[in-house]
Amino acid sequence: MTSMNTIYKALLLVASLFIGTLSLSAQFVTSRDGKFWREGKPYYYVGTNLWYGAILGSEGQGGNRARLCRELDFLKRNGIDNLRILVGSDGERGVKTKVEPTLQVAPGVYNDTILAGLDYLLQQMGKRKMVVLHL
């Protein structure tokens, strides 16, 4: 009986992953016949850089969620719904040519406030039906 339960659970997992993949695939922009497509329709866009979005979305140094929401609203209102964002920089702090605060301060050591800021940014973009061009 245990093996049947295991098989049943495995089949449920595979089915749920398949169904989840189908629903997520509609959210992605694809290309076909030299055109971009999204949700079965030709997709045209205007985009911009918002490299500092994860930092603004954080509750740590440099964070300002109210400003992030104002900027996203402004962009959406003006027809800009594709954003190129930076997940975060890495390495020791204090280098003048690097974005700070850093996401990865040392190998395997992450600044969780930037990761939370990235989550918040992506959540806010999703509410506005905005698309990430590059992470």
Side-chain angles (χ1 to χ4, degrees), residues 18 37 120 128:
F18 178 73
W37 295 83
Y120 185 80
R128 293 163 178 81

Side-chain angles (χ1 to χ4, degrees), residues 48-54 68 71-72 75 83-86 121:
T48 192
N49 285 324
L50 191 70
W51 63 267
Y52 51 91
L68 174 64
E71 290 193 23
L72 292 174
L75 292 169
L83 303 179
R84 184 172 181 242
I85 64 172
L86 173 70
L121 167 64

Side-chain angles (χ1 to χ4, degrees), residues 27-29 38 43 45-48 50-51 53-54 72 80-87 118-126 128-135:
Q27 297 176 22
F28 289 97
V29 178
R38 185 171 185 209
Y43 184 73
Y45 70 91
V46 176
T48 192
L50 191 70
W51 63 267
L72 292 174
I80 301 170
D81 57 1
N82 286 259
L83 303 179
R84 184 172 181 242
I85 64 172
L86 173 70
V87 172
L118 176 64
D119 286 344
Y120 185 80
L121 167 64
L122 295 175
Q123 176 192 43
Q124 293 301 313
M125 288 178 65
R128 293 163 178 81
K129 298 187 188 303
M130 298 174 105
V131 177
V132 174
L133 292 175
H134 183 266
L135 288 171

Side-chain angles (χ1 to χ4, degrees), residues 90-95 98-100 102 104-106:
D90 61 357
E92 293 182 25
R93 299 188 63 170
V95 177
K98 182 178 18 167
V99 173
E100 289 191 4
T102 55
Q104 183 174 233
V105 296

